[in-house]
Amino acid sequence: MAKCAICEKGAHFGNNVSHSHRRSNRMWKSNVKSVRVKTPEGNRKMYVCTSCLRSGKVERA
């Protein structure tokens, strides 16, 4: 699973807990997109989460 290049956000792990309180593993995937981004060296592709895109931490190319 990809990680955000800005905030390092990635997948989180935990448990599904049923009504009878039995536990099984589960995973929450963060909303990470592959985006062309403006950098000082030029444009390049990075994995960026949508919260970083919306907050303006990254400028699209």
Side-chain angles (χ1 to χ4, degrees):
M1 187 70 206
K3 268 192 177 177
C4 177
I6 308 304
C7 66
E8 305 278 321
K9 189 187 288 186
H12 295 102
F13 301 92
N15 291 315
N16 272 333
V17 182
S18 70
H19 182 68
S20 63
H21 218 64
R22 292 174 63 103
R23 293 184 175 102
S24 60
N25 297 331
R26 73 159 292 183
M27 186 164 88
W28 288 269
K29 293 180 180 174
S30 55
N31 196 359
V32 177
K33 306 289 184 189
S34 180
V35 177
R36 292 188 64 78
V37 174
K38 285 184 185 176
T39 59
E41 305 89 46
N43 297 342
R44 59 180 262 206
K45 251 185 177 178
M46 300 171 101
Y47 287 109
V48 181
C49 68
T50 53
S51 58
C52 287
L53 284 171
R54 276 185 280 132
S55 65
K57 292 181 183 177
V58 180
E59 189 178 351
R60 283 181 180 249

